[in-house]
Amino acid sequence: MHDIRTDFCVVGGGPAGLTLALLLLRSGADVAVVERSESLDREYRGEILQPGGLAVLDQLGVLDAARARGAHELSRFQLVEGGRAILDVRYERLSSPHNYLLSIPQRHLLDELLEQCRRHAGFEYIAGSRVAELLTGAGAVRGVRAQGRAGEHVVRAHCVIGADGRFSKVRRLAGIPQRRMDVFDMDVLWFKVPRDGRPLPYVQIFRGGGNPVLAYHSYPDQLQLGWTLPHGGYAQVAERGLDHVKEQLCAVVPQFADTIREHVTALNQLVLLDVFAASAQTWVRDGLVLIGDSAHTHSPLGAQGINLAIQDAAVLHPVLMESLRRGDAGAGVLGRYEQDRRPDIDMVMKIQLVQSKGMLSQSRVAAVIRPKAMWLMQKTPLFDKMTARIAYGRTPVRIASELFTSDERA
């Protein structure tokens, strides 16, 4: 058994967990990250970063190096119907330098974050281990017990942070209820095919001929497609076989039909994502905080998952350092994070619900009024303000860099 004592134990080595770990390490704290995967060579879904997340990563000194590993800028988000863009969200109208969406493999971001974390002497990375138990004392969380092929690890910490995704084990072990909201009434079938030289400078949702399809340029030279289906409806479609699935897709995006027919050769190439919104009843307990999807889960529409997780880390960072300084990890201290952050998350939830109804609805009434309504909406001053809200949140998040010290290994 390995017994580790540290300031903070972060469960989950995704964008939220590693961003937070690096922020804490740069502030002089010791951090242990417990990650269930043995390596970064695993499946990822989220790839698009909004300007708000880009700004945080830039302030942290991670963005340029992560981009250098390979990424694509996307200047607009469009809803395409009848061969024309009825909604054209132009990110280039935002203030530079982060006036774009970035399609970047999550692996590239995690590689850079992990590399920078490892430059700090106070960093422990426990890969291939799953949390089996929360250690408690005097009614507060005091650490975790994790098990893996390398044996058992007991990590005792001032505070535990659950950053282990929408099916969070930490949240379940803490007995924190999660309210699931099936407000989007859809699932998304994800897959990639070769781009075949097509220029794809925008994120686009294609409507018509069936259920809408999301498309964007994925590094290095692939087309990422997400086919939206009625919630729970994929099994019925799949029963009719691969050819039927492919033809349904081709009906919505005929411009990609040849590529889909050639390169989608088995149903197991398609990854089904159960789309739902959810929020934990509380994000803090004595000695415990939830961030990212562990605390709040979102639809992939609007590309907010990674963005919000990174911003969560930046908002939580000064709260945790103040908690460590005071020697108090009680919910009263940690609760400032939830108090400050939850209104922003609630706003995103509302915006995503409106986006889903406006962009993906199949009703005949919506089909008649949608193009004109969206065209008129783009002509109002409020449209650019709404774009900025989606890109940055209610208030742009900044890093508390004044807390940084210099303890990197030479």
Side-chain angles (χ1 to χ4, degrees), residues 37-114:
S37 298
E38 294 186 354
S39 76
L40 296 180
D41 186 18
R42 56 185 188 257
E43 286 291 324
Y44 301 98
R45 293 194 182 93
E47 290 187 337
I48 294 181
L49 280 171
Q50 291 275 357
L54 294 173
V56 170
L57 293 173
D58 204 3
Q59 293 171 49
L60 190 54
V62 170
L63 180 60
D64 287 346
R67 283 193 59 160
R69 297 173 186 264
H72 297 297
E73 284 191 18
L74 304 167
S75 60
R76 300 183 186 183
F77 176 93
Q78 293 184 332
L79 178 63
V80 180
E81 185 171 318
R84 64 190 181 95
I86 62 172
L87 180 66
D88 190 5
V89 182
R90 300 178 61 178
Y91 278 78
E92 68 264 30
R93 289 181 175 176
L94 298 173
S95 300
S96 62
H98 307 111
N99 54 340
Y100 58 90
L101 298 165
L102 187 69
S103 172
I104 181 170
Q106 200 173 132
R107 169 72 184 265
H108 291 185
L109 175 59
L110 298 183
D111 272 331
E112 184 58 32
L113 286 166
L114 187 55

Side-chain angles (χ1 to χ4, degrees), residues 22 25-29 60-62 112-113 115-123 404-410:
L22 184 55
L25 289 163
R26 289 207 174 159
S27 303
L60 190 54
V62 170
E112 184 58 32
L113 286 166
E115 180 179 310
Q116 293 202 27
C117 283
R118 282 177 166 149
R119 297 174 187 171
H120 296 263
F123 181 60
F404 288 174
T405 61
S406 56
D407 72 331
E408 291 187 10
R409 294 188 179 98

